Amino acid sequence: MRYVIIGASAAGQAAAETLRQWDPQGSITVISDEAQPLYSRPLLTYLLSGEIRPEKVWLKGADYFQEWGFEARLGEEVVQVVPADREVRLASGRVCPYDRLLIASGARPKVPGIPGEDLEGVFTLRNLADWRRLESGLEGVRQVVVVGAGAVGLKTADALMRRGFEVTLLARGAQPLSRMLDATAAAMLMDAVATMGIDLRCHSWPVALKGDGGRVKKLILNSGEELPAQAVLFSVGVTANVDFLEGTGLGDPGGILVDRKLRSRDPRIFAAGDCCRPHHLLSPGQWPYHIWPAAVDQGRVAGANMGGGSRLYPGLLPQNSLSLRGFKIISGGLGPHDTKDCEIVAELDQSRGHYRRLAYREGRLVGLTLVGAVAHAGIYFQLMAQGLPAPEPVTPGLLWG
Amino acid sequence: MKTVIVRPERCVGCWQCRLACAVEHSQTKDLAAALGEGVRPRPRLRIYPGRQHLAFPNKCRHCEPAPCQAVCIAGAIHRTPRGTVDIDPGKCINCAMCAMACPFGVLTYASLYKAPDHRAVALKCDQCPEREAQGRVPACVEACKVGALTYGEWQETQEDKGRVLAQAVFASLQSPRETEPSLPDNLRVWRLLS
Ligand SMILES: Cc1cc2nc3c(=O)[nH]c(=O)nc-3n(C[C@H](O)[C@H](O)[C@H](O)COP(=O)(O)OP(=O)(O)OC[C@H]3O[C@@H](n4cnc5c(N)ncnc54)[C@H](O)[C@@H]3O)c2cc1C
Ligand code: SF4
Ligand code: SF4
């Protein structure tokens, strides 16, 4: 069997390793357009803040591919997948034939499409190359605007703040993380963000960037206000890396639609991680949700199925952990907009800065937000993931039988 | 692998184990001195109020495979040669991803004297490697006078128990009453250390 995997990050690596266990003899080719993959993408903001040194981002040693017996094509971009010929074509002209293909190509940052985006000093942060570009572009910069107050936007703003820049953070809605947090949790987050010195602007988005000599100088807000900025960083969501599927009907920028076995419409082609649109555990429908652990889980399922197994992906359980200088929020399951028909139990301990919001549906836990005290998150998520009845108390005497 | 075996039905909720654990993980390893350390030492196990029993202890099970290790985005969690699951304070970035994954809810996040700049990192039971090197049992086991914590070989799978334990901890989290130690003379010290 000839296996080809596009992408050597969370999903690609997990799949390749699982596949190796299922098929010790098969040829496994791993392709990445990054010359040095095998690092932790979530560490990029910690790298930016200076909390960790560059050598700490590597998750695997230099001889990883050799050790596992994978053929690595690094620094090579896939330009086309041809399902009819079962071939993957690379920018170099090389052709990789496959019997089974995994697409684990992840996603890339979107930009809003406003005038001035091509100016110098405009950035996104997705990979090590972006970080290097950002680092060299920050020289002489005093004011930075971060556009988008999602988890990555918040962490990026905090990182830049720690580096001593003046940071303005723009949120499109009335609060950051509006799909994850209710108003109470969001208010606590906004307090914490203000304490860090970040200038958070809600109901704000850019309509244009203005430059001088090719370099960005200011950002024009929807309100008409002009924010001086020598650097602008967009963190307004991502789009799946599926350009190489054009014409195949297998994927669109919303992601590759997969079945429970993580197979695309072509039975020889699987997809996992940020580039795919998986089933969800607690809600109908399929949509992408971009977290590292889900990419690893999906990679394992896809890898096993490519190697001849028949594992079903139980469905994605949204989970997010945000930790900003000790201020912690964990949330997951259904968000505040999807729990309108649920019974909500919420407790606020203002003096300690603790908040807990649990959403129940038909005797099962389906939504969680913890602020401040997050240690027990795993207990709640286990109940949620396994659909265990939540309200009935269990006596610990039964535990150890 | 040898591990700490928990017998919750014996636990009287005295918190001696928590105290011993905090002292063992202090810089000085001495009770009186530990109270004065700049970075407050933390216990790495918890006692929950039980419905049927007074209390029940909960700590890291050193799972195999370990869910916390699988989600750590910094590669800070690894398995030691002696079989325990360990967190490297030099690599941990205090992101709390592991809190979402641990089915036993045993992680805490606090400053550690061993971490660079004494920063906050993920803390959990490490099964007292320094004591083991001296042929001694873990501090909590030594402290437990009623046999709720013992040290020995443990083969049985933890998975089903994990599920029931999750429900028990969940139940106790719903209970309005806080765990109170039943030995009042200990009160002042554990308040300071916990
Ligand atoms: C700054 C930042 C912080 C984050 N923090 C967290 C966090 O704290 N917790 C969390 O759970 N998640 C976090 N995430 C999200 C997490 O990193 C992703 O969910 C995860 O990386 C997805 O893994 P993946 O393998 O699906 O895709 P990716 O990691 O995106 O990997 C895909 C790989 O495929 C390569 N590729 C793409 N197209 C091609 C092509 N045509 N040819 C060859 N190679 C190609 C890409 O270059 C890339 O190396 C963060 C993301 C970012 C950017
Ligand atoms: S921290 Fe939790 S998940 Fe990790 S080994 Fe210990 S009990 Fe298992
Ligand atoms: S808090 Fe530390 S140990 Fe836990 S997942 Fe994050 S880096 Fe890993």
Side-chain angles (χ1 to χ4, degrees):
Chain A
M1 275 284 192
R2 292 165 307 174
Y3 306 98
V4 172
I5 297 176
I6 306 176
S9 184
Q13 268 173 57
E17 290 174 17
T18 311
L19 188 49
R20 182 46 87 222
Q21 282 156 17
W22 281 81
D23 187 346
Q25 307 308 329
S27 117
I28 302 175
T29 304
V30 183
I31 310 168
S32 176
D33 57 7
E34 294 193 78
Q36 289 177 296
L38 308 179
Y39 63 90
S40 172
R41 205 169 298 290
L43 290 185
L44 290 172
T45 58
Y46 297 83
L47 207 51
L48 180 61
S49 68
E51 278 165 279
I52 60 161
R53 289 190 307 275
E55 67 267 21
K56 297 258 175 169
V57 301
W58 306 110
L59 292 175
K60 308 280 176 183
D63 45 4
Y64 169 78
F65 292 104
Q66 237 180 351
E67 249 171 54
W68 282 85
F70 304 145
E71 192 173 330
R73 299 243 168 278
L74 304 182
E76 292 225 45
E77 190 197 349
V78 172
V79 289
Q80 206 184 2
V81 170
V82 190
D85 303 337
R86 286 198 249 146
E87 274 175 9
V88 172
R89 307 221 166 119
L90 307 184
S92 61
R94 202 193 295 269
V95 171
C96 300
Y98 65 82
D99 298 308
R100 298 272 183 284
L101 171 67
L102 174 70
I103 303 174
S105 52
R108 62 173 179 274
K110 282 195 250 195
V111 283
I114 55 172
E117 276 170 8
D118 50 352
L119 288 167
E120 234 179 280
V122 179
F123 304 97
T124 55
L125 181 60
R126 177 75 195 184
N127 52 39
L128 272 179
D130 292 340
W131 169 71
R132 288 192 194 105
R133 209 172 302 132
L134 183 55
E135 279 295 335
S136 54
L138 283 174
E139 220 161 288
V141 167
R142 193 161 61 88
Q143 295 145 310
V144 188
V145 179
V146 177
V147 183
V152 175
L154 283 158
K155 286 200 280 188
T156 309
D158 174 39
L160 291 166
M161 209 58 220
R162 286 165 183 255
R163 290 276 298 270
F165 299 103
E166 285 174 34
V167 182
T168 307
L169 176 63
L170 307 184
R172 204 177 173 96
Q175 62 168 73
L177 299 173
S178 50
R179 268 178 304 173
M180 276 165 59
L181 304 181
D182 69 351
T184 311
M188 297 171 88
L189 171 62
M190 286 193 276
D191 273 353
V193 167
T195 311
M196 291 170 202
I198 296 168
D199 178 15
L200 172 69
R201 309 279 191 99
C202 295
H203 301 294
S204 299
W205 60 90
V207 292
L209 305 178
K210 290 276 162 65
D212 183 10
R215 261 203 85 91
V216 69
K217 278 282 169 303
K218 59 192 174 192
L219 178 149
I220 320 288
L221 283 178
N222 54 319
S223 62
E225 191 186 339
E226 297 186 356
L227 297 176
Q230 299 82 51
V232 172
L233 196 140
F234 286 110
S235 178
V236 294
V238 295
T239 175
N241 287 325
V242 292
D243 298 347
F244 47 79
L245 291 178
E246 218 189 297
T248 63
L250 292 176
D252 56 58
I256 302 164
L257 205 62
V258 288
D259 66 11
R260 292 272 175 192
K261 287 186 163 178
L262 302 184
R263 238 174 0 197
S264 74
R265 237 169 288 154
D266 181 323
R268 296 176 188 280
I269 303 181
F270 295 71
D274 280 11
C275 67
C276 90
R277 224 193 301 167
H279 288 277
H280 282 241
L281 191 67
L282 296 174
S283 37
Q286 291 181 254
W287 70 90
Y289 192 85
H290 310 104
I291 46 171
W292 184 273
V296 171
D297 278 351
Q298 291 166 17
R300 287 187 181 151
V301 172
N305 290 338
M306 288 166 79
S310 100
R311 281 189 54 193
L312 297 182
Y313 182 60
L316 196 144
L317 178 63
Q319 288 182 317
N320 236 300
S321 170
L322 183 67
S323 178
L324 301 169
R325 305 191 203 182
F327 173 80
K328 288 191 169 61
I329 294 187
I330 286 183
S331 75
L334 303 182
H337 301 295
D338 302 314
T339 49
K340 299 220 165 74
D341 60 334
C342 296
E343 196 190 322
I344 307 293
V345 179
E347 294 163 285
L348 175 64
D349 179 344
Q350 209 127 31
S351 62
R352 285 195 290 176
H354 293 177
Y355 177 61
R356 175 167 73 149
R357 180 187 185 272
L358 304 175
Y360 295 90
R361 195 173 60 192
E362 291 155 18
R364 301 278 194 278
L365 188 65
V366 292
L368 168 72
T369 302
L370 299 173
V371 184
V374 299
H376 293 109
I379 302 252
Y380 296 106
F381 281 125
Q382 185 179 210
L383 295 177
M384 251 191 252
Q386 304 192 0
L388 299 173
E392 282 99 310
V394 175
T395 45
L398 296 175
L399 293 185
W400 286 263
Chain B
M1 160 197 158
K2 265 194 149 181
T3 185
V4 177
I5 299 167
V6 182
R7 291 196 176 80
E9 66 280 7
R10 298 195 178 178
C11 174
V12 294
C14 72
W15 289 47
Q16 292 284 5
C17 52
R18 276 175 63 87
L19 185 59
C21 180
V23 172
E24 174 63 23
H25 294 93
S26 69
Q27 202 162 355
T28 53
K29 295 192 196 285
D30 173 80
L31 175 56
L35 291 170
E37 283 177 24
V39 178
R40 202 207 307 168
R42 308 275 177 159
R44 283 124 188 256
L45 76 174
R46 290 201 182 88
I47 310 294
Y48 295 91
R51 297 268 158 147
Q52 212 174 64
H53 306 285
L54 224 63
F56 63 100
N58 187 23
K59 58 173 282 299
C60 172
R61 311 296 159 119
H62 302 280
C63 313
E64 168 84 79
C68 58
Q69 183 180 11
V71 302
C72 176
I73 52 174
I77 306 184
H78 59 277
R79 192 169 300 277
T80 63
R82 64 190 189 117
T84 56
V85 173
D86 224 11
I87 301 178
D88 179 350
K91 280 189 174 172
C92 174
I93 50 164
N94 188 24
C95 70
M97 291 290 290
C98 46
M100 301 198 289
C102 173
F104 298 98
V106 300
L107 290 138
T108 40
Y109 303 88
S111 305
L112 180 70
Y113 75 91
K114 278 184 189 166
D117 310 321
H118 293 177
R119 54 173 191 223
V121 292
L123 302 175
K124 66 168 195 68
C125 163
D126 57 4
Q127 227 158 267
C128 303
E130 289 155 41
R131 294 176 68 99
E132 194 188 76
Q134 302 162 0
R136 298 161 72 198
V137 299
C140 58
V141 172
E142 193 175 279
C144 185
K145 302 293 181 244
V146 296
L149 300 170
T150 55
Y151 196 52
E153 287 295 332
W154 188 253
Q155 251 90 42
E156 216 174 315
T157 163
Q158 296 280 10
E159 213 169 283
D160 294 340
K161 294 200 168 163
R163 205 169 295 154
V164 191
L165 181 111
Q167 287 173 298
V169 173
F170 181 80
S172 89
L173 292 174
Q174 308 304 305
S175 113
R177 111 189 119 97
E178 290 272 317
T179 328
E180 292 292 341
S182 58
L183 295 185
D185 57 318
N186 225 12
L187 220 70
R188 188 189 60 86
V189 183
W190 74 251
R191 284 246 164 89
L192 283 164
L193 276 178
S194 62

